[in-house]
Amino acid sequence: MNLLYEIEGYLTRLIFENEHTDYRVYLFKLDDLNEKQLTINGTLPRLPEDIKYILSGEYQEHPRYGMQFTVASYRSVLPTEESMVVKFLSSSLFPGIGLKSAQKFVDAYGSDILNRIKNGEDVYINPKVLSVANQQVLIEGIRDHVNLEEAISFFTTKGLGVRMVMKIERMYGKDAIAKISENPYIMIDDIDGIGFKTCDQIALQLEFPLDHPFRLNALLIYETMQQCMETGSTYTTVESLQARLNKKGMDADTFETTLENVIYDKKVIQEEQRLYHHTQHEAEVVCANYFSQNPRLELDPLEFDLDELIETYEETMNIQYDESQKKAINSFFLEKKSIITGGPGTGKTTIIQAIIYLFRECYPQYELAVCAPTGRAAKRLKELVNVDVTTIHSLLEWDLESNTFGRNESNPVLSDILIIDEFSMVDSWTMAALCKATPRVRRILFIGDQDQLPSVAPGFLIRDLIASNHFVVNVLDVNYRQASGSQIIELAHSVRQGIFDKELCKGEIRFIQTSKYLLEHLTQVVASALDTGYNISDIQVLATKYNGSQGIDTLNFVLQKLCNPPAKDKRELKIGYQLFREGDKILQLKNQPDDHVYNGDIGRLVEITLKEENSDNKNHMIVDFEGTIVEYTPDMFINLKHAYCMSVHKAQGSEYPIVIMVGTKQHQFMMQRRLLYTAITRSSKALILMGEEAVFLHGAKNDHSNEIKTTLIERMSFDL
């Protein structure tokens, strides 16, 4: 907002509210001679009427609804006129106090009684005038109202929005300001969406010294988790963390004292020289215990000859399974825990289809939970199997606002069978939540490619569980695409062995040596593909980094001009450095379970509506995710990005007819074997590798996954 105005008046009625976002629209009567009414809107709590409010904000002219006032902050003025005090006391803010009781109370104590109570004056109220129960309602109602206003005033000056302030107030109540003033870092654990950096900014405004113990404790805990996120490991070491914090100005003695504090508080867990963030330690322990002891329940005895069932299924589906595939199907029925792993073209999805079909034939009484880590992976599998497939977060009924799961130990998932596809993408923390919620499963099956990228968050579950000896592992080693002459599969196999052989770039693979003129070559290749009949959803450009003259952001800018140029009939909206245009290919960056869209989903921007056209005076964008239509308001724009080019991690779990992988010197630092292998195997028809041969050679040679450290195997072996 630019120039802020103040207006005074009274709420007349609530016009609209979204309880999920706390966005509300009220009719407001100005306190002036004309008593003009206008519409106000903003992130606001449910406010009582019959109180005078002073609102700070800006006017906006809406072509359909006229002049509106968008509220940035507010404060109330308790009524002092007798009639208004009586009306206020008999409102819904004070249940149990009616008009007669309110009038009797004001007659006895005067019309300034509200401000006296607000200011903390010790007022004796005769129970004959107002019952003891209603006295409590009165005092709590006034103080709750005042506390919220004071919290909003306090925290908005510290850079927090009203919506976040309301979450803080709900957590701490009337003590919010006092608690945060004493230790702003408590919000890291208590308020989802507030992390160390936000708390540190507030602490700085509160003039907390940089060496305050509260800050040092929070910093050490934060850096422990950051180091795990950067490496993918579930722990760091004392030596590594100390070196990291030394660069931030923490000397050895301070580090030792601070480490003792956070270990005592159980925020960091130490085992020998290993240091775990408490969430990662708990996740690893939960997973280890679960996989060591579960499933505990048995399936009913199989009443059919499994080999005959498989043979009949093969005849019905006109398919022939090899011995490794039949073994994988048998293992699911005969073993409590199994993993199926194999590269693209080895028939993993075909086996899932058979397992689900045969299981439902044999055990119609049991419930199946089939899921995947991403929305795209779940949707792709659902199209192939005749059963509902969800994301793991959906299965666990994840709540976006609180970042908690509705399914847990006390409210478990009631399924008997747990099947997870694209398991290489599952991290330890998510898996631990799933373990807690599935105590009654009788069979566990994980499917994934052990050579793909591990999860973005800490943990390397597929590697660890395969090596744990607690799972029957079925490796699919017959590649049917390769047998049919697929060069993509042959190149992927070569990269998996640590070798990039440019001689394999033939057939459906092209290698284009380029560096300085990458952008020109890229636009030529994409334009050629579009000219031959492919559309932009068929073509996916992949890269390893966002920044730089050849990074993802730049490539998206260049490709947008080619694939979706400006036109008179296409609206545009500038959001930060990004210019969104109707028709753009869009990438979803975060899970929005209420809208049924998830991190990694790709859609098309079908409409932009400007703030002048919307009742909330805000710009909106509408995106079509293959039939799922989602409307975005400004607070959700951060979840969107162009998808002409994306990271390999975002593409994991998806396939595209044409994949263009970029690899110049700018991308060398991030290029490594599993990332290159994953990029190559995203292609179903054609692959173009564009860049410098040395960079792809470097990528195939370097396998950083060996640097991912966990202790899951040791825990499952009871060695820890």
Side-chain angles (χ1 to χ4, degrees):
M1 295 185 181
N2 299 318
L3 180 62
L4 295 182
Y5 297 89
E6 278 195 351
I7 60 175
E8 299 182 19
Y10 301 86
L11 296 175
T12 303
R13 64 183 175 90
L14 177 66
I15 298 173
F16 170 82
E17 68 176 338
N18 183 327
E19 293 184 354
H20 189 68
T21 63
D22 284 318
Y23 175 81
R24 290 179 172 86
V25 180
Y26 289 96
L27 194 61
F28 190 77
K29 182 174 67 175
L30 293 176
D31 185 21
D32 58 18
L33 291 175
N34 297 321
E35 294 190 338
K36 179 181 177 181
Q37 296 199 56
L38 78 159
T39 303
I40 66 167
N41 63 71
T43 302
L44 296 164
R46 252 189 173 269
L47 297 170
E49 299 175 7
D50 304 317
I51 302 181
K52 188 175 184 179
Y53 292 95
I54 301 174
L55 310 179
S56 177
E58 66 174 356
Y59 287 101
Q60 294 184 344
E61 180 69 32
H62 193 286
R64 185 185 305 172
Y65 299 104
M67 184 68 72
Q68 296 191 345
F69 190 85
T70 299
V71 180
S73 62
Y74 76 93
R75 62 187 187 275
S76 67
V77 180
L78 291 176
T80 56
E81 295 179 10
E82 180 177 324
S83 61
M84 296 302 294
V85 174
V86 171
K87 192 173 182 181
F88 174 60
L89 288 175
S90 59
S91 70
S92 60
L93 191 64
F94 306 99
I97 302 178
L99 276 172
K100 288 184 178 180
S101 297
Q103 185 65 61
K104 183 177 179 182
F105 178 69
V106 173
D107 288 343
Y109 295 98
S111 59
D112 65 340
I113 185 62
L114 297 179
N115 282 308
R116 291 167 61 192
I117 295 173
K118 172 186 174 181
N119 295 331
E121 186 176 329
D122 187 13
V123 179
Y124 171 75
I125 301 173
N126 191 326
K128 293 182 179 180
V129 175
L130 194 67
S131 69
V132 173
N134 281 341
Q135 288 181 39
Q136 192 66 27
V137 168
L138 171 68
I139 293 169
E140 288 182 359
I142 293 174
R143 288 180 179 169
D144 286 348
H145 177 68
V146 170
N147 289 333
L148 177 56
E149 284 193 19
E150 290 178 347
I152 289 174
S153 175
F154 176 84
F155 288 112
T156 52
T157 61
K158 304 294 184 289
L160 295 180
V162 175
R163 185 177 178 187
M164 192 60 72
V165 175
M166 291 170 66
K167 291 176 73 172
I168 293 170
E169 198 276 337
R170 281 193 288 267
M171 170 60 67
Y172 303 121
K174 61 184 177 62
D175 299 323
I177 296 175
K179 286 187 175 182
I180 304 309
S181 297
E182 179 184 351
N183 180 8
Y185 299 98
I186 61 173
M187 293 188 291
I188 296 172
D189 289 330
D190 294 343
I191 310 294
D192 185 64
I194 295 183
F196 172 79
K197 291 183 177 180
T198 300
C199 293
D200 212 33
Q201 290 174 354
I202 294 173
L204 183 65
Q205 294 182 59
L206 293 172
E207 299 183 347
F208 266 65
L210 295 179
D211 61 352
H212 194 289
F214 289 158
R215 181 181 187 274
L216 295 177
N217 291 349
L219 177 63
L220 191 146
I221 297 166
Y222 169 75
E223 292 295 346
T224 302
M225 189 62 189
Q226 282 299 108
Q227 199 155 10
C228 290
M229 289 297 296
E230 291 169 9
T231 63
S233 301
T234 57
Y235 66 87
T236 183
T237 63
V238 174
E239 180 182 4
S240 178
L241 185 62
Q242 183 172 359
R244 184 182 179 100
L245 286 167
N246 181 256
K247 294 178 181 178
K248 297 182 181 293
M250 187 181 291
D251 61 46
D253 290 340
T254 304
F255 175 80
E256 184 177 347
T257 301
T258 306
L259 182 59
E260 288 177 359
N261 291 338
V262 297
I263 289 173
Y264 179 81
D265 291 336
K266 297 182 180 180
K267 298 299 183 183
V268 170
I269 310 299
Q270 182 171 10
E271 293 178 348
E272 298 176 347
Q273 291 298 301
R274 299 185 300 274
L275 297 176
Y276 303 78
H277 189 273
H278 65 97
T279 59
Q280 291 304 312
H281 186 268
E282 181 195 10
E284 200 171 78
V285 169
V286 168
C287 288
N289 291 339
Y290 181 85
F291 291 127
S292 300
Q293 302 170 18
N294 287 284
R296 300 181 182 183
L297 301 176
E298 298 282 353
L299 288 177
D300 293 339
L302 186 62
E303 298 179 355
F304 302 90
D305 185 305
L306 193 54
D307 291 333
E308 289 183 6
L309 286 174
I310 295 173
E311 185 177 339
T312 302
Y313 181 80
E314 287 177 310
E315 292 174 358
T316 303
M317 303 302 294
N318 192 26
I319 194 171
Q320 182 67 49
Y321 290 117
D322 64 42
E323 288 306 311
S324 66
Q325 292 173 324
K326 289 179 181 178
K327 182 182 176 184
I329 296 171
N330 272 277
S331 291
F332 173 76
F333 284 88
L334 302 176
E335 306 291 343
K336 288 187 173 183
K337 299 189 289 285
S338 59
I339 292 174
I340 298 173
T341 184
T346 55
K348 296 189 298 295
T349 303
T350 308
I351 292 174
I352 299 175
Q353 287 177 296
I355 285 173
I356 291 174
Y357 177 86
L358 295 174
F359 187 84
R360 295 175 81 178
E361 287 289 307
C362 297
Y363 295 108
Q365 71 273 31
Y366 290 135
E367 291 291 327
L368 284 156
V370 184
C371 53
T374 69
R376 283 185 68 82
K379 184 173 183 179
R380 200 181 72 173
L381 183 59
K382 187 174 183 177
E383 292 169 351
L384 298 172
V385 298
N386 186 28
V387 68
D388 187 35
V389 182
T390 68
T391 64
I392 296 173
H393 282 71
S394 292
L395 179 67
L396 294 175
E397 298 178 5
W398 177 62
D399 180 71
L400 176 64
E401 284 295 300
S402 62
N403 194 28
T404 57
F405 296 107
R407 294 290 183 173
N408 46 46
E409 303 99 313
S410 58
N411 184 31
V413 174
L414 301 180
S415 301
D416 303 283
I417 310 300
L418 177 62
I419 299 175
I420 303 179
D421 192 21
E422 296 290 352
F423 186 68
S424 63
M425 301 169 66
V426 180
D427 63 88
S428 296
W429 184 80
T430 303
M431 188 67 242
L434 191 55
C435 291
K436 293 176 183 177
T438 55
R440 54 165 284 177
V441 295
R442 301 166 188 264
R443 282 290 183 276
I444 297 173
L445 172 63
F446 299 148
I447 307 103
D449 186 344
Q450 62 179 322
D451 296 308
Q452 281 193 26
L453 284 166
S455 58
V456 175
F460 202 163
L461 284 173
I462 193 167
R463 178 197 68 183
D464 292 347
L465 295 182
I466 286 174
S468 70
N469 294 321
H470 282 263
F471 281 73
V472 173
V473 180
N474 294 281
V475 180
L476 305 179
D477 47 17
V478 178
N479 197 299
Y480 293 94
R481 289 191 209 167
Q482 191 172 22
S484 62
S486 171
Q487 289 296 129
I488 293 173
I489 300 303
E490 191 171 347
L491 179 62
H493 179 75
S494 175
V495 168
R496 193 175 62 185
Q497 304 303 314
I499 301 167
F500 176 78
D501 185 357
K502 197 171 77 170
E503 296 302 315
L504 295 175
C505 297
K506 54 188 177 182
E508 70 267 39
I509 306 177
R510 287 177 62 193
F511 182 88
I512 300 175
Q513 180 78 26
T514 185
S515 177
K516 183 178 179 181
Y517 299 105
L518 170 71
L519 302 183
E520 290 83 353
H521 285 130
L522 178 61
T523 53
Q524 289 171 11
V525 169
V526 174
S528 176
L530 293 172
D531 288 342
T532 58
Y534 287 99
N535 61 56
I536 193 56
S537 63
D538 298 325
I539 307 165
Q540 189 57 59
V541 181
L542 302 177
T544 65
K545 58 176 290 187
Y546 284 92
N547 299 325
S549 60
Q550 296 174 344
I552 291 170
D553 291 337
T554 299
L555 298 183
N556 268 320
F557 175 77
V558 170
L559 291 169
Q560 182 195 40
K561 289 199 295 184
L562 170 69
C563 303
N564 189 33
K568 291 182 178 179
D569 61 341
K570 292 181 180 179
R571 284 183 164 180
E572 298 178 348
L573 188 62
K574 187 75 178 291
I575 309 295
Y577 67 90
Q578 295 186 100
L579 178 67
F580 290 97
R581 182 177 296 128
E582 290 178 342
D584 272 340
K585 185 178 181 181
I586 296 294
L587 174 67
Q588 177 74 19
L589 298 177
K590 292 185 178 181
N591 292 332
Q592 288 178 212
D594 291 344
D595 296 312
H596 307 290
V597 291
Y598 299 89
N599 183 6
D601 284 356
I602 294 177
R604 188 172 68 89
L605 178 54
V606 293
E607 186 179 359
I608 293 172
T609 59
L610 303 178
K611 60 183 181 181
E612 295 83 9
E613 303 166 336
N614 297 318
S615 60
D616 60 359
N617 285 318
K618 295 179 180 179
N619 298 315
H620 288 211
M621 290 195 286
I622 300 172
V623 182
D624 180 358
F625 292 95
E626 299 180 1
T628 299
I629 308 298
V630 182
E631 186 169 4
Y632 292 82
T633 50
D635 60 317
M636 302 157 67
F637 289 167
I638 194 173
N639 295 348
L640 298 177
K641 195 174 185 67
H642 293 108
Y644 303 103
C645 179
M646 68 171 70
S647 70
V648 179
H649 280 93
K650 291 293 184 186
Q652 196 170 2
S654 302
E655 282 189 347
Y656 313 92
I658 299 176
V659 167
I660 303 172
M661 179 62 183
V662 173
T664 62
K665 275 279 193 271
Q666 289 190 22
H667 302 90
Q668 181 163 316
F669 179 76
M670 298 292 292
M671 188 74 81
Q672 50 98 357
R673 185 184 304 166
R674 289 176 182 272
L675 184 141
L676 180 55
Y677 171 85
T678 303
I680 290 169
T681 55
R682 297 311 89 206
S683 172
S684 61
K685 286 186 178 181
L687 173 68
I688 296 110
L689 302 176
M690 188 173 293
E692 300 168 68
E693 183 180 4
V695 174
F696 290 99
L697 288 168
H698 168 84
K701 182 179 178 182
N702 289 278
D703 183 9
H704 298 327
S705 63
N706 294 327
E707 300 170 10
I708 298 176
K709 307 297 183 184
T710 73
T711 44
L712 180 61
I713 297 173
E714 291 85 345
R715 294 187 197 283
M716 293 177 68
S717 303
F718 305 105
D719 292 336
L720 287 180

